[in-house]
Structures are given as C-alpha cells and as structure tokens.
Amino acid sequence: LSSFPPAGPSSYTVGTMSERFDCHYCRDPLHGKKYVQKEGRHCCVKCFEKFCANTCIECKKPIGADAKELHFKNRYWHDNCFRCFKCYTSLVNEPFMLKENNKVWCSSCSSTEGANKCKGCFKAIIAGDQNVEYKKSFWHKECFTCSQCKQVIGTGSFFPKGDDIYCVSCHEHKFAKLCFKCKKAITSGGITYQEQPWHSECFVCTGCSKQIGGKRFTAVDDQYYCVDCYKTFVAKKCVGCKNPITGFGRGSTVVSHEGQSWHDYCFKCTKCSRPLANRRFVYHNEQIYCADCPHRL
C-alpha cells in the first residue's frame, strides 16, 4: 500500500504579476493578472490549462492552476477524483493501491477483491477471518448458524439437510429416530430389529449385557439372549444327550413329547437306536422305542 505526502503543486508557481511580463503563449500582458510560472516561463491561467497543465488520469480533464493536484509515479489526479475504484471513498491522505488500468483501490477493497464470499452475509471473507468451509461454500464463523434455532454453530458439530444446516439439538428434535429402549435420539449408527430402531449400546443380551447387534441371538418373550446365555439360562435340555437345544446349526429341529424335548438326531429308539423323528414310536416307562422293539422286551 502507498500513501501521499501533503498534496499541492510542486512544479509550478501561481501568483499575481506585479511586473510587466507578457504571457509566453498568447502574448497578452500579465501585469495585475493571475499568472503561472513553470520552467521559467510566465503564462496566463487560460494558456496554462491549455498547454502546460497535467491531465487527470481519472476524468481526463486538465488540472487547473487553482485545483489541488495529487501525483504518484508520473500519474496525476484532481484531489476529488482520487477515489477508490470500487467503493468511491476518497483516498486523499489514505493508504491506497494502484492496480491495472491506473485504478486506485482502498486497502479494504483491495483485500476483499477475489476473496471467498460468506454464504450467510454475502460479504467477503478476508485473510485472518475465522471461517467455516463445507462442500465448497464458506461462512464467517459467526454466520454459520442453525437453520432452526439460529444459534451460532461455528466450528461445532452439525447436520446438513438439503440446503439447511442444523445444530445437534435441533436435528435430534426434528429428524432423529428415538431408540426403542431408552427413548433418546439416535444421532449416528444404530440398528433396526423388527422395524424398531435401537442404539447399538442399548441392544444387548438380557443375560450378560453384551451388545448383540450383528451377532446371533434368540428372542424370548421380548427378551434377547446371545448364544451362550440362551444355552445357559433359557434353552431346554435334550433328554437324550443332556445338552441345550439352541435351535442353531445341527439339530435345529426339536422333538417334544409329554413336556420333554430332544434334538431330532437324539430322538431314537432306546433299544435299536433307530432315528424316530417324524416316525411312529412307543413311549414306555419314560423310554422311547420304535414300533417293533416293545414286542422284543
């Protein structure tokens, strides 16, 4: 940036002629008249403006003897023409910058020219301003506000929704699903079971409280059990092998009779070991037999 020293003519003198001189150009007598002396020559005011005066680079008119002239790097301006190209603020005795096409800019406009524009207030974001960038758009930090409550989000967490931006609280209230168990908003992640949303940390085994989202589990009377807890606390024990009947993997088919249960592969004749699942059998003295073996007892 540059600035001017006190303005004023520096290459000529203006006064009233007390001696007998004629205008160097038109030869009119100057005695008792206002004149200009430049480079050792005396001329009337009219001829000065016609032949000698500098031309204002802004308005293209001559800078008369009575006008205040400003000059910088062999360029000249009327003092009232020396204004910011963009905002028209007078730059007399103010910092300025000379740019292309001999246009002068104030320090403020020079710093904002080409700067990113705030999407909130549409003003320039100048160097040093705290700002927020999201999807190639920019905001002043104080302009980045919630579309619902209008509170400043700044550099805090937020949720985009179309062209709107929401703070965490407003997004939860307006859009977030509520966990089926704790009834609080699910802001990220979560799981769905039977069309009901859950926090991952709320969908846990009734027995051991470990998270079971994405894992094998069994639901019993609105209670959820991991495989191990189901075997230990819930599953019926097979009369044949004495192990839990889980319904997982081999033996997922259960055979029940008079309050007792068997894996399908354990339900076999006590005497000949013939598999009896989906076949006729005889129940005698709490034992299972095929239809032929009771006659051989």
Side-chain angles (χ1 to χ4, degrees), residues 207-223:
C208 65
S209 298
K210 292 181 179 178
Q211 294 184 25
I212 54 176
K215 301 177 181 178
R216 296 171 68 180
F217 67 91
T218 301
V220 180
D221 297 330
D222 294 329
Q223 300 293 319

Side-chain angles (χ1 to χ4, degrees), residues 107-255:
S107 57
S108 176
C109 291
S110 179
S111 64
T112 59
E113 180 67 11
N116 294 315
K117 297 295 189 297
C118 173
K119 194 174 180 180
C121 67
F122 305 106
K123 295 180 181 179
I125 299 174
I126 63 177
D129 283 350
Q130 289 187 307
N131 63 88
V132 177
E133 179 182 357
Y134 176 67
K135 286 190 174 180
K136 298 182 179 180
S137 293
F138 298 85
W139 291 260
H140 291 107
K141 182 179 177 182
E142 63 273 16
C143 293
F144 194 64
T145 59
C146 174
S147 300
Q148 183 78 11
C149 68
K150 309 304 180 185
Q151 294 296 310
V152 174
I153 297 173
T155 55
S157 299
F158 66 92
F159 292 89
K161 199 77 172 179
D163 292 331
D164 295 324
I165 301 293
Y166 294 91
C167 65
V168 174
S169 177
C170 288
H171 183 268
E172 289 180 1
H173 184 267
K174 192 174 180 70
F175 300 107
K177 295 179 179 179
L178 299 182
C179 174
F180 181 76
K181 182 177 181 179
C182 70
K183 310 304 180 186
K184 295 181 180 179
I186 301 172
T187 57
S188 63
I191 62 173
T192 300
Y193 175 67
Q194 292 187 340
E195 300 183 356
Q196 294 172 338
W198 300 69
H199 289 114
S200 296
E201 59 270 23
C202 289
F203 195 66
V204 298
C205 172
T206 301
C208 65
S209 298
K210 292 181 179 178
Q211 294 184 25
I212 54 176
K215 301 177 181 178
R216 296 171 68 180
F217 67 91
T218 301
V220 180
D221 297 330
D222 294 329
Q223 300 293 319
Y224 306 102
Y225 296 89
C226 66
V227 173
D228 290 338
C229 288
Y230 179 76
K231 290 179 179 179
T232 302
F233 303 114
V234 182
K236 293 180 179 180
K237 300 299 187 290
C238 175
V239 174
C241 67
K242 311 304 179 183
N243 291 320
I245 303 174
T246 63
F248 303 132
R250 180 171 177 258
S252 58
T253 302
V254 180
V255 179

